[in-house]
Amino acid sequence: MSKLASFFGQKVKVINLGIPSFAEDLRQQGVEAIHTEWRPPAGGNKKIQALLARVEVWQGQVKAAKGAR
Amino acid sequence: MVVCHLIKKQTYFDSVTLMLIGSQVKKLEGIENAVVGMCTDYNIDSLKRLNMYHQDFVGLTPNDLIICIMGKDKATADAGIAEVENRLKSRKPAGGTSAELPPSTQEEAARRLPEANVVLISVPGEYAAREANQALQNGRHVMLFSDNVSIDEELQLKTLGVSKELLVMGPDCGTAIINGVPLAFANAVRAGDIGLVAASGTGLQEVTSTIHRLGCGVSQAIGVGGRDLSEKIGGRMTIMATRALAEDPATKVIVLISKPPAEGVLKPLFAEFKNIDKKIVVYFIGADPKIIEDQGFVAARNLEDAAIKACDLSRKTSHKPEIADEAIASLAAKQKMTGKNLRGLYSGGTLCDEAQRLLQPVIGEIFSNTPVKGCKEMADVYKSSGHCIIDLGDDNFTRGKAHPMIDPDYRSERMIQESADASVGLICFDLVLGYGSHPDMAGEMVSAIKLGQQKSGNRPILAACICGTEDDPQGYQQQKAKLEEAGVVVFPTNVAMVKFAQHCLERK
């Protein structure tokens, strides 16, 4: 069975980023959900965000290369 | 008029919370306008457009909050600011010690709940892809509620999702029910053996709710975002989700709801379906059902029909619409139209689309802000003329405002405006219940209806359809009773309401 089909039937646990009521609704239904007080990265500074994005791409490439070894 | 403002640096709230507070404070006595928002380019443009901009806003970042109120005098505007602050305080989660403070990043949240398997993202679109990418890299499924995610970002995310066999539901995906859990805007429906994949939010809500009310149930309801079956995305999520439902022992019947796929996607999609040893119901909104039937699949004619056909296959018995055509005709026969025009005030985009498609061949000229083939574009979306069917959840109406399923303000205003037009004989609207939606939309609509009738003295026929179930937080019967008490004729589906409208318009 595929990985996705095996996921069906498992208990859903949620990380919520953004609208807080989505996490509140889930908790009211007894679903484990953690709400994140998310805010734009790098204090909203677009130049630093662009640099961060480049670092993240680089980190992803390093991770993929390690995985391939 | 006096404009006062308050800046709260490094204080972040999500846009829905801020838009709702701004909308509530705007209603207070003596307040002309209220902009409560993070210092984004869009909000700065709005402030300039509304003549509420101030030099103090220069150099602020999207992490800084602006509260800006236009009032009849300084005292009123200051009181408005104080009211916003009070409302914001009540929204902040109580946190005594630092251990109780909520996490501020996805990484931190994942450290606290490492077994989390779904990340629900509703941050501003420009940041959404980054968060979704991070979730996928860490092996978690994604529901991407955010819009304004580019199609290139969507392609990158879905390619990654497919390679890791992880769901990317969205972008702009409002509804999903995964393993019995309703995510974002979804209805409380019974568990069952019907699995759905949909590139339409309210379409999925209408079909899952109808399935529930017909006595059947849902295994999974997977939203894939409106562009999944485009040429560029190639149906990546639709195909992956359908394959998984084909393997899922809890799913007996599969339903697909979408706009007609791009030419290049249709063939591989049907080829995929042919390998599936389960019954498949397909509703391509607005397409000729023959293209589906010719391939040996069950074609649905509309959203209600998709639910009925899925239930028939699930139970191997025949299901009927909740209200028979004769009963609809008889309800219409009791009504008298005082004006000749129809106005449809929709919060659900697919429901608005469905109403246009069903009514246009029968009543002819229809105007809309989101016209389907055969209908015409409204010259001014804020002023109706002739028969108009309006999607109030479209971008025109939601820039800087919450969606009409959450915030009833503009629809209430429009209800009063349409009631004042003596040419209007029939007003139709939808009520979408469920998680995420307004707690009492029926109450809000009834207040607007009464105000409209008092102001104008006009009595157009009022009809509503309720998309929801008795198990939804708002309660189907309670919402229905409120509307009926105010003289609204209530239908279980949009299709039934549209048939009623057709009878009324033919009899006028």
Side-chain angles (χ1 to χ4, degrees):
Chain A
M1 188 182 280
S2 70
K3 195 173 143 191
L4 179 55
S6 322
F7 166 64
F8 294 157
Q10 282 179 28
K11 217 171 195 180
V12 168
K13 296 185 182 189
V14 180
I15 292 173
N16 185 51
L17 303 168
I19 300 172
S21 62
F22 289 163
E24 286 158 24
D25 282 344
L26 288 165
R27 284 195 212 111
Q28 272 172 21
Q29 296 171 74
V31 176
E32 216 172 325
I34 186 161
H35 177 64
T36 307
E37 287 288 300
W38 183 93
R39 52 178 60 204
N45 184 314
K46 292 211 159 101
K47 276 186 187 165
I48 301 178
Q49 281 170 12
L51 285 171
L52 270 177
R54 281 170 63 185
V55 171
E56 278 168 10
V57 169
W58 176 73
Q59 282 174 333
Q61 286 166 346
V62 170
K63 210 174 164 183
K66 278 183 181 168
R69 262 185 230 158
Chain B
M1 285 291 163
V2 176
V3 179
C4 295
H5 67 263
L6 177 72
I7 296 164
K8 292 177 93 71
K9 286 202 161 198
Q10 294 298 307
T11 304
Y12 187 85
F13 285 88
D14 70 282
S15 59
V16 172
T17 299
L18 296 177
M19 287 186 289
L20 284 173
I21 290 176
S23 176
Q24 287 154 0
V25 169
K26 202 176 148 186
K27 283 189 215 164
L28 301 176
E29 183 71 37
I31 291 181
E32 180 68 17
N33 221 329
V35 175
V36 185
M38 304 312 300
C39 184
T40 58
D41 293 345
Y42 176 78
N43 285 333
I44 289 295
D45 283 349
S46 301
L47 286 162
K48 284 180 179 165
R49 198 166 24 86
L50 298 165
N51 291 324
M52 292 168 78
Y53 182 76
H54 195 279
Q55 283 303 315
D56 287 357
F57 305 152
V58 173
L60 297 182
T61 76
N63 271 333
D64 301 323
L65 172 67
I66 298 172
I67 304 169
C68 197
I69 308 287
M70 186 186 275
K72 65 175 181 183
D73 51 38
K74 189 174 181 309
T76 312
D78 283 340
I81 291 176
E83 184 58 31
V84 171
E85 283 196 281
N86 278 336
R87 287 173 190 250
L88 286 173
K89 268 181 207 149
S90 68
R91 295 292 308 180
K92 271 279 177 204
T97 65
S98 62
E100 290 168 323
L101 286 172
S104 59
T105 62
Q106 189 182 156
E107 296 94 310
E108 204 183 328
R111 274 197 292 276
R112 293 204 208 171
L113 188 60
E115 63 276 32
N117 43 22
V118 174
V119 180
L120 173 48
I121 300 169
S122 54
V123 303
E126 58 187 299
Y127 306 106
R130 176 183 180 266
E131 297 293 344
N133 188 60
Q134 191 182 330
L136 294 168
Q137 294 289 1
N138 290 302
R140 296 187 173 92
H141 301 280
V142 168
M143 175 157 177
L144 199 45
F145 181 86
S146 311
D147 55 4
N148 294 319
V149 173
S150 73
I151 196 158
D152 290 326
E153 287 173 319
E154 179 175 350
L155 180 63
Q156 183 267 322
L157 291 170
K158 287 187 170 171
T159 306
L160 180 61
V162 169
S163 74
K164 289 178 166 270
E165 273 196 72
L166 292 167
L167 290 168
V168 180
M169 296 179 278
D172 205 7
C173 173
T175 306
I177 303 170
I178 303 297
N179 303 351
V181 175
L183 295 168
F185 290 86
N187 301 90
V189 303
R190 163 184 322 106
D193 59 12
I194 301 171
L196 302 99
V197 179
S200 147
T202 38
L204 187 54
Q205 286 193 267
E206 179 83 334
V207 177
T208 51
S209 297
T210 307
I211 287 171
H212 174 96
R213 294 193 310 270
L214 289 171
C216 297
V218 168
S219 58
Q220 308 287 339
I222 302 167
V224 291
R227 294 186 303 218
D228 193 67
L229 291 161
S230 66
E231 203 78 58
K232 184 149 191 173
I233 305 297
R236 280 171 163 75
M237 269 307 125
T238 302
I239 290 173
M240 189 177 86
T242 314
R243 271 185 200 159
L245 290 176
E247 281 188 86
D248 176 29
T251 301
K252 208 159 83 183
V253 180
I254 297 171
V255 180
L256 172 65
I257 307 155
S258 165
K259 281 180 222 152
E263 196 91 344
V265 182
L266 196 59
K267 244 185 169 179
L269 190 70
F270 280 150
E272 190 66 37
F273 286 180
K274 283 188 175 159
N275 292 326
I276 295 174
D277 192 22
K278 289 182 181 179
K279 291 286 180 194
I280 301 178
V281 179
V282 181
Y283 177 41
F284 288 149
I285 303 161
D288 182 355
K290 211 170 166 306
I291 60 164
I292 299 157
E293 286 162 347
D294 285 352
Q295 299 290 324
F297 306 113
V298 179
R301 262 64 183 168
N302 52 55
L303 296 168
E304 181 189 71
D305 191 41
I308 290 173
K309 286 186 166 138
C311 290
D312 287 353
L313 294 166
S314 160
R315 292 287 165 91
K316 293 197 174 72
T317 55
S318 175
H319 292 76
K320 289 191 167 60
E322 293 158 89
I323 176 163
D325 285 355
E326 301 74 39
I328 296 172
S330 139
L331 279 171
K334 290 178 195 153
Q335 308 289 333
K336 191 171 174 356
M337 278 184 69
T338 51
K340 61 180 181 358
N341 286 327
L342 159 76
R343 299 287 149 83
L345 302 179
Y346 279 91
S347 61
T350 307
L351 303 180
C352 176
D353 186 303
E354 182 173 64
Q356 290 180 61
R357 286 182 200 284
L358 294 169
L359 283 172
Q360 195 279 327
V362 190
I363 63 170
E365 192 174 65
I366 294 176
F367 295 91
S368 177
N369 59 326
T370 54
V372 304
K373 200 176 164 196
C375 294
K376 292 180 179 168
E377 185 100 39
M378 290 172 80
D380 178 355
V381 297
Y382 299 102
K383 201 167 177 282
S384 307
S385 172
H387 296 309
C388 288
I389 300 180
I390 310 167
D391 174 10
L392 297 168
D394 189 49
D395 290 351
N396 283 318
F397 299 107
T398 53
R399 276 191 206 109
K401 284 189 187 136
H403 193 276
M405 268 153 59
I406 310 173
D407 182 354
D409 273 14
Y410 183 67
R411 186 154 68 156
S412 298
E413 204 181 290
R414 194 69 184 239
M415 180 70 81
I416 295 165
Q417 185 184 319
E418 302 299 352
S419 302
D421 181 345
S423 80
V424 174
L426 170 62
I427 300 177
C428 293
F429 59 99
D430 60 348
L431 224 68
V432 183
L433 311 184
Y435 294 101
S437 289
H438 190 279
D440 182 20
M441 190 57 82
E444 296 285 346
M445 288 297 100
V446 167
S447 301
I449 288 165
K450 285 185 178 164
L451 204 57
Q453 290 176 344
Q454 274 166 18
K455 278 187 174 176
S456 67
N458 294 337
R459 292 282 185 279
I461 303 166
L462 293 155
C465 60
I466 304 182
C467 170
T469 75
E470 192 50 37
D471 297 339
D472 281 330
Q474 300 87 350
Y476 186 97
Q477 288 303 333
Q478 209 185 341
Q479 292 285 292
K480 184 173 181 251
K482 272 190 190 180
L483 292 173
E484 284 178 339
E485 212 173 296
V488 181
V489 189
V490 182
F491 296 92
T493 63
N494 186 44
V495 168
M497 177 174 76
V498 169
K499 283 180 185 169
F500 171 80
Q502 186 185 328
H503 285 298
C504 290
L505 290 161
E506 281 171 348
R507 286 184 61 250
K508 75 182 176 203

